Amino acid sequence: MAQDEKILEYMRSFIKSNIETADQIADSNDRRNDVQPSVEPETGRFLEFMIRLTDAKRVLELGTSNGYSGLWMLKALESTGGNLVTIDSKERLHLEAVDNFREAGFGNVDAIYGDAAEQVANLEPGFDLIFQDCGKYLYPELFEATVSLLRRGGVIIADDTLFSVNNSVRSNLGRYTDQYNHLAFNSSKLLTSILPVGHGITMSFKL
Ligand SMILES: C[S@@+](CC[C@H](N)C(=O)[O-])C[C@H]1O[C@@H](n2cnc3c(N)ncnc32)[C@H](O)[C@@H]1O
């Protein structure tokens, strides 16, 4: 077993969602080819952790898929008394997510079916935390909109942002995440760092 796999196995021996529906989604998504990969459990825990740490109440997710990352965030938001707005442009996945949120017993969610590039214009600014996980091509395009939707002191977390240095088949998406990283690190409105969690997480604090 390679060193990285040993580390992952060790980390995952501790990190459990304790959400039955989330565990079922993770199991079935691994076997499906009609759904893009969900976040890794360690990224799910990181999102849960950040929501609890910052006491976030208004959270926006771009890229719901069938709701795995959403469930981690909803669990945290149940504790903070907050709610999640989450958007996906694939109706089939949006409907699956709605069912999964209901099955897990979470009502504190507004799942929107639509193109994130269009839907962001309809949202009220002032989000405490924004999780960017939709089509990678949209990361640079939606950068300014997400910064505007975030309150000062809020956090943007963007997933898969080390695709640019990843040699896998998905590395062709890396040029978008590389552009995004340049925007986030060069913005005078943000303080930004990258963590090598999952396929990379870029986290930005709005100054
Ligand atoms: C990597 S998946 C999201 C995974 C999910 N956050 C999770 O961890 O469970 C990316 C999702 O973005 C959605 N997507 C792609 N382009 C989009 C767009 N323009 N607007 C909204 N969603 C989009 C895809 O349909 C897909 O479900």
Side-chain angles (χ1 to χ4, degrees):
M1 194 186 279
Q3 188 66 16
D4 284 358
E5 285 167 28
K6 278 190 195 162
I7 292 172
L8 268 185
E9 189 178 71
Y10 181 75
M11 285 164 62
R12 289 179 186 173
S13 72
F14 293 104
I15 297 175
K16 308 287 173 207
S17 77
N18 294 324
I19 311 167
E20 207 180 320
T21 312
D23 296 341
Q24 284 165 1
I25 296 174
D27 278 352
S28 69
N29 281 3
D30 279 349
R31 292 189 296 273
R32 287 172 61 170
N33 56 12
D34 62 343
V35 55
Q36 287 179 33
S38 307
V39 297
E40 289 73 12
E42 50 278 12
T43 306
R45 171 53 53 82
F46 182 74
L47 292 168
E48 179 188 6
F49 188 96
M50 287 300 293
I51 289 172
R52 294 292 299 267
L53 180 72
T54 61
D55 197 30
K57 300 212 166 24
R58 286 192 69 210
V59 174
L60 171 65
E61 175 181 54
L62 304 178
T64 320
S65 187
N66 55 356
Y68 180 74
S69 51
L71 288 169
W72 280 93
M73 293 192 278
L74 285 165
K75 182 175 154 218
L77 285 163
E78 201 167 58
S79 303
T80 66
N83 87 305
L84 175 71
V85 176
T86 179
I87 303 173
D88 204 287
S89 57
K90 283 217 171 75
E91 188 174 23
R92 170 178 60 82
L93 294 174
H94 157 78
L95 293 172
E96 263 189 53
V98 169
D99 280 348
N100 287 329
F101 297 147
R102 192 180 305 121
E103 183 183 308
F106 291 112
N108 52 338
V109 54
D110 179 11
I112 298 173
Y113 160 55
D115 185 340
E118 291 166 13
Q119 295 297 325
V120 289
N122 303 326
L123 300 172
E124 191 73 29
F127 284 95
D128 300 313
L129 188 145
I130 298 177
F131 179 47
Q132 172 56 286
D133 194 24
C134 70
K136 305 311 152 203
Y137 66 98
L138 276 178
Y139 281 32
E141 190 180 321
L142 291 184
F143 175 76
E144 283 302 336
T146 48
V147 174
S148 299
L149 284 171
L150 191 70
R151 72 162 169 84
R152 235 193 267 176
V155 177
I156 302 177
I157 296 171
D159 196 31
D160 299 324
T161 53
L162 289 174
F163 269 3
S164 36
V165 285
N166 184 335
N167 291 323
S168 78
V169 302
R170 277 174 272 156
S171 63
N172 62 332
L173 301 174
R175 69 193 159 104
Y176 299 113
T177 54
D178 185 48
Q179 281 170 20
Y180 178 87
N181 286 329
H182 279 87
L183 289 168
F185 275 91
N186 291 334
S187 170
S188 58
K189 296 178 188 155
L190 302 175
L191 176 69
T192 297
S193 189
I194 303 186
L195 297 177
V197 176
H199 295 287
I201 285 177
T202 296
M203 47 193 292
S204 303
F205 172 78
K206 188 165 175 182
L207 302 166

